[in-house]
Amino acid sequence: MNLRPATRADLDLLQHWDEQPHVIASDPNDDWHWELELDRTPDWREQLIAESEGRAIGFIQIIAPAREDSHYWGDVSANLRAIDIWIGEETDLGKGYGTKMMQLALARCFADSAVTAVLIDPLVSNTRVHRFYERLGFQFIERRQFGDDDCFVYRLNRADWQPGSVR
Ligand SMILES: CC(C)(COP(=O)(O)OP(=O)(O)OC[C@H]1O[C@@H](n2cnc3c(N)ncnc32)[C@H](O)[C@@H]1OP(=O)(O)O)[C@@H](O)C(=O)NCCC(=O)NCCS
């Protein structure tokens, strides 16, 4: 498994993944504006494609929420990162790919010694994914409304991050 930058060449793939029911269920209210965003590389964001044996499996975005331009997370510390993740094809769910993707993404976040913690915001309704994050060491912080989305906020502090481990 490796993570590489998403590029304009991934446009059709990302739009195809956006149409998959499990992807829609996890993020029904966002338009990712791929046509525009794949041509942008702001310094507060990484948009990454996860590949296994050369095959694209899923997508991960890492942002610095304090500097993200829509200010989605509000007023937060400069030393945080926030992650979005999905596997593209339903047939690739539940095979361990997501765990490996998160381990790589977390290693990438914490490689910056200034980063103190990583945030995620699954929908309250996405109960299966709560376990997924808890196994990676994330702790529940609060229930929070983001626009139309009723979410749980989870946080993984650097001190609770164990590279390569899942509880
Ligand atoms: C969440 C996700 C990235 C995990 O990747 P994965 O490769 O399926 O997960 P792994 O095989 O490493 O681990 C299995 C765990 O993933 C979670 N999971 C599996 N399928 C899932 C699904 N359709 N939706 C949500 N979580 C799922 C469960 O916690 C599962 O553990 P369980 O079998 O004990 O319930 C992936 O399931 C996915 O893309 N789900 C849909 C999109 C999504 O929910 N993204 C997160 C939004 S915050």
Side-chain angles (χ1 to χ4, degrees), residues 4-106:
R4 58 142 178 101
T7 71
R8 175 144 279 271
D10 299 305
L11 178 63
D12 289 350
L13 181 68
L14 288 162
Q15 287 178 335
H16 167 69
W17 287 351
D18 276 356
E19 291 163 7
Q20 305 310 304
H22 67 280
V23 176
I24 294 171
S26 72
D27 187 17
N29 299 314
D30 282 336
D31 179 341
W32 284 68
H33 301 289
W34 299 119
E35 295 258 12
L36 283 172
E37 296 300 333
L38 288 171
D39 286 337
R40 294 180 64 211
T41 50
D43 64 359
W44 46 261
R45 177 179 82 190
E46 287 188 286
Q47 293 191 321
L48 303 164
I49 298 286
E51 293 177 329
S52 176
E53 295 175 352
R55 184 169 72 90
I57 299 282
F59 174 81
I60 285 212
Q61 171 170 279
I62 303 173
I63 63 163
R67 289 188 291 131
E68 183 269 325
D69 55 11
S70 80
H71 241 63
Y72 175 87
W73 283 90
D75 229 357
V76 290
S77 153
N79 298 329
L80 298 175
R81 295 292 178 267
I83 292 180
D84 291 288
I85 178 174
W86 57 88
I87 303 274
E89 301 291 344
E90 190 177 5
T91 47
D92 285 327
L93 293 171
K95 295 183 173 165
Y97 292 131
T99 300
K100 284 192 194 136
M101 287 166 66
M102 279 302 287
Q103 287 169 341
L104 290 173
L106 292 170

